[in-house]
């Protein structure tokens, strides 16, 4: 993953570059494979050569460095901290008689050094009298002379022109589900490839995303997939756990019945929802593993406490998966004129109002909390 030479780790601000660099350092100090799961397997790719790692965090305070180190080591509880991992947040100007000489002396005094991380390029530039390309060329020569890997972090796009001044290029992107990342690996000695990674919030431990997680992320990353109204419906169905009909979703959210049917149909076509045989909707298996993490990323979603939702007979709640279906215009097909509806009858506004009148939902909104009751005429009023 980090061969000898100069590697640029790029990405947008707060995309996880520092966390990824720290894990790569820990992998080097312990001689472990990068991005391996819980089970240790020597056959894992990206196995690191064990050695010393040095972190030059010019962009962080001492308190921040201590916090990062704690998060990094908390991924391995019960394991003593490595004694070949060093941190600092200050350095002298990079001149031949000062900072550059000091850096070369440090690497010479610790010949087992395998990795030097510089976080970040923008904070290092004021210490050097020259432009970015000249500074990167200097670091390239240093990495070649010392036969080590130097990883430089920089906030920029994947297409940055600075990538032409380094030996290898890594680009990290945070995905819509916040704990998942996409890593592009480019370089002269590595064939280009991409990885999907997961890192928990509590500690620093990047691992390969499973095939199931990749499938869910592909679905959730589609254009217009995670609009606010779709997130609310996902939240409602996830809270209820059981499949819901369009009429039940309408009553719970207080939205227009026709709009709800169209929206549910589109979500089913986007593989967000799955239609059961009775015309009810549930979470699609593709996205179900990531829904709790997705909703945790949006904490201001309404919180539903479903007291009860009366299920109408199957003949009244059957929902066609075809969004172009229209309501029956024959009066004999309505619930009022035909109590025992035929299996092919569809929902009417009267059915929705009747269901709403029998449904009570505690709808807790943040930061204001109130309870809505649906009256017989369909109007909502706070208790």
């Amino acid at each position: 993953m980090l061969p000898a030479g100069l590697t640029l780790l790029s990405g947008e601000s707060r995309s996880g570059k520092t966390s990824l660099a720290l894990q790569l350092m820990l992998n080097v100090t312990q001689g472990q494979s990068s991005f391996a799961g819980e089970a240790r397997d020597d056959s894992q790719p990206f196995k690191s050569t064990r050695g010393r790692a040095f972190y030059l965090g010019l962009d962080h305070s001492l308190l921040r460095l201590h916090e990062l180190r704690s998060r990094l080591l908390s991924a391995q509880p019960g394991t003593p901290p490595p004694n070949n991992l060093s941190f600092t947040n200050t350095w002298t100007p990079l001149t031949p008689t000062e900072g550059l000489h000091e850096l070369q002396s440090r690497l010479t005094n610790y010949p087992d050094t395998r990795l030097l991380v510089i976080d970040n390029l923008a904070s290092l530039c004021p210490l050097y009298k020259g432009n970015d390309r000249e500074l990167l060329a200097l670091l390239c020569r240093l990495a070649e002379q010392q036969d080590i890997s130097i990883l430089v972090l920089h906030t920029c796009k994947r297409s940055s022109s600075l990538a032409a001044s380094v030996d290898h290029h890594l680009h990290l992107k945070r995905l819509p589900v916040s704990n998942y990342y996409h890593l592009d690996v480019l370089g002269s000695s590595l064939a280009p490839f991409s990885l999907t990674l997961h890192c928990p919030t509590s500690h620093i431990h990047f691992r390969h995303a499973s095939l199931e997680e990749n499938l869910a992320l592909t679905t959730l990353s589609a254009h217009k997939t995670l609009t606010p109204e779709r997130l609310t419906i996902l939240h409602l169905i996830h809270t209820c756990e059981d499949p819901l009909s369009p009429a039940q979703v309408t009553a719970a959210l207080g939205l227009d019945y026709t709009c709800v049917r169209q929206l549910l149909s589109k979500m089913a076509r986007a593989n967000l929802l799955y239609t059961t045989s009775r015309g009810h909707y549930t979470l699609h298996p593709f996205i179900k593993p990531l829904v709790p993490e997705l909703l945790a990323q949006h904490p201001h979603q309404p919180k539903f406490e479903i007291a009860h939702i009366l299920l109408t007979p199957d003949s009244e709640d059957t929902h066609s998966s075809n969004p172009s279906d229209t309501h029956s215009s024959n009066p004999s097909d309505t619930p009022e004129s035909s109590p025992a509806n035929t299996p092919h009858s569809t929902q009417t506004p009267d059915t929705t109002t009747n269901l709403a009148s029998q449904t009570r939902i505690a709808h807790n909104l943040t930061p204001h909390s109130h309870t809505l009751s649906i009256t017989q005429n369909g109007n909502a009023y706070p208790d």
Side-chain angles (χ1 to χ4, degrees):
M1 177 59 68
L2 292 176
L6 179 62
T7 301
L8 176 68
L9 175 55
S10 63
E12 299 295 332
S13 178
R14 303 187 65 83
S15 60
K17 299 185 296 295
T18 296
S19 296
L20 178 59
L22 289 173
Q23 175 166 330
L24 293 174
M25 287 180 61
L26 185 63
N27 295 148
V28 168
T29 60
Q30 298 177 340
Q32 296 177 349
S33 298
S34 301
F35 315 135
E38 297 298 329
R40 303 295 172 81
D41 184 1
D42 290 338
S43 65
Q44 289 280 351
F46 315 126
K47 186 171 177 61
S48 304
T49 302
R50 182 165 184 162
R52 184 176 296 275
F54 178 45
Y55 180 78
L56 185 55
L58 299 173
D59 201 31
H60 302 297
S61 64
L62 287 176
L63 182 61
R64 176 61 175 163
L65 284 182
H66 178 73
E67 177 190 345
L68 290 171
R69 188 174 185 273
S70 299
R71 286 187 60 221
L72 178 66
L73 298 179
S74 64
Q76 299 178 347
T79 303
N83 57 8
N84 53 355
L85 181 62
S86 304
F87 292 81
T88 187
N89 67 340
T90 59
W91 205 256
T92 54
L94 292 177
T95 62
T97 57
E98 292 183 277
L100 186 58
H101 174 72
E102 183 180 347
L103 187 56
Q104 290 174 327
S105 299
R106 183 182 182 89
L107 297 176
T108 301
N109 294 334
Y110 296 97
D112 61 336
T113 300
R114 294 287 178 267
L115 176 61
L116 167 63
V117 174
I118 300 176
D119 188 5
N120 56 39
L121 181 62
S123 300
L124 184 66
C125 286
L127 302 180
Y128 180 74
K129 293 182 179 179
N131 57 40
D132 293 350
R133 295 181 183 277
E134 293 172 342
L135 176 56
L136 292 176
L138 174 66
L139 295 175
C140 276
R141 292 194 297 271
L142 180 62
E144 182 180 357
Q145 293 170 1
Q146 301 292 333
D147 192 27
I148 64 169
S149 177
I150 299 180
L151 180 65
V152 178
L153 280 60
H154 185 47
T155 300
C156 65
K157 296 183 178 180
R158 184 180 185 274
S159 58
S160 172
S161 60
L162 292 179
S165 302
V166 300
D167 300 311
H168 319 288
H169 183 198
L170 308 178
H171 184 78
L172 189 65
K173 178 183 177 181
R174 188 187 292 268
L175 297 178
V177 182
S178 61
N179 289 338
Y180 288 86
Y181 304 81
H182 185 81
L183 179 65
D184 288 324
V185 181
L186 310 165
S188 57
S189 62
L190 291 173
F193 61 93
S194 299
L195 299 172
T196 302
L197 306 173
H198 174 269
C199 181
T201 305
S202 57
H203 56 272
I204 299 175
H205 180 70
F206 285 84
R207 61 164 176 83
H208 288 287
S210 66
L211 181 61
E212 185 181 38
E213 290 171 316
N214 273 289
L215 185 59
L217 288 168
T218 300
T219 303
L220 293 172
S221 299
H223 182 55
K224 293 185 179 180
T225 294
L226 299 178
T227 57
E229 59 272 16
R230 292 187 178 193
L231 283 170
T232 302
I233 290 177
L234 290 177
H235 178 54
L236 172 64
I237 295 178
H238 174 70
T239 301
C240 292
E241 296 183 352
D242 295 327
L244 297 179
S245 70
Q248 291 166 342
V249 175
T250 299
L253 301 182
L255 301 176
D256 179 75
Y257 175 76
T258 303
C259 293
V260 167
R261 286 197 61 173
Q262 293 177 353
L263 183 56
L264 291 173
S265 180
K266 290 179 181 179
M267 292 178 68
R269 290 199 301 269
N271 291 330
L272 297 177
L273 299 178
Y274 175 78
T275 311
T276 66
S277 58
R278 298 179 57 229
H280 290 55
Y281 288 86
T282 187
L283 297 177
H284 198 288
F286 282 2
I287 69 164
K288 197 170 185 178
L290 297 190
V291 167
E293 218 162 346
L294 173 65
L295 296 177
Q297 184 183 338
H298 300 272
H300 297 294
Q301 288 291 321
K303 297 179 180 180
F304 299 99
E305 294 179 3
I306 308 300
H308 64 274
I309 298 180
L310 294 179
L311 297 177
T312 58
D314 291 342
S315 59
E316 295 183 13
D317 238 357
T318 301
H319 170 60
S320 171
S321 60
N322 186 353
S324 63
D325 288 348
T326 58
H327 300 300
S328 173
S329 59
N330 187 350
S332 63
D333 290 338
T334 63
E336 297 174 335
S337 61
S338 178
N341 295 317
T342 63
H344 300 290
S345 65
T346 57
Q347 284 286 348
T348 66
D350 290 340
T351 306
T352 304
T353 303
N354 184 49
L355 177 64
S357 66
Q358 304 176 69
T359 304
R360 182 180 180 86
I361 299 174
H363 191 171
N364 301 320
L365 296 176
T366 305
H368 304 290
S369 297
H370 58 276
T371 301
L372 295 180
S373 295
I374 307 299
T375 62
Q376 195 62 266
N377 61 5
N379 295 324
Y381 64 89
D383 283 347

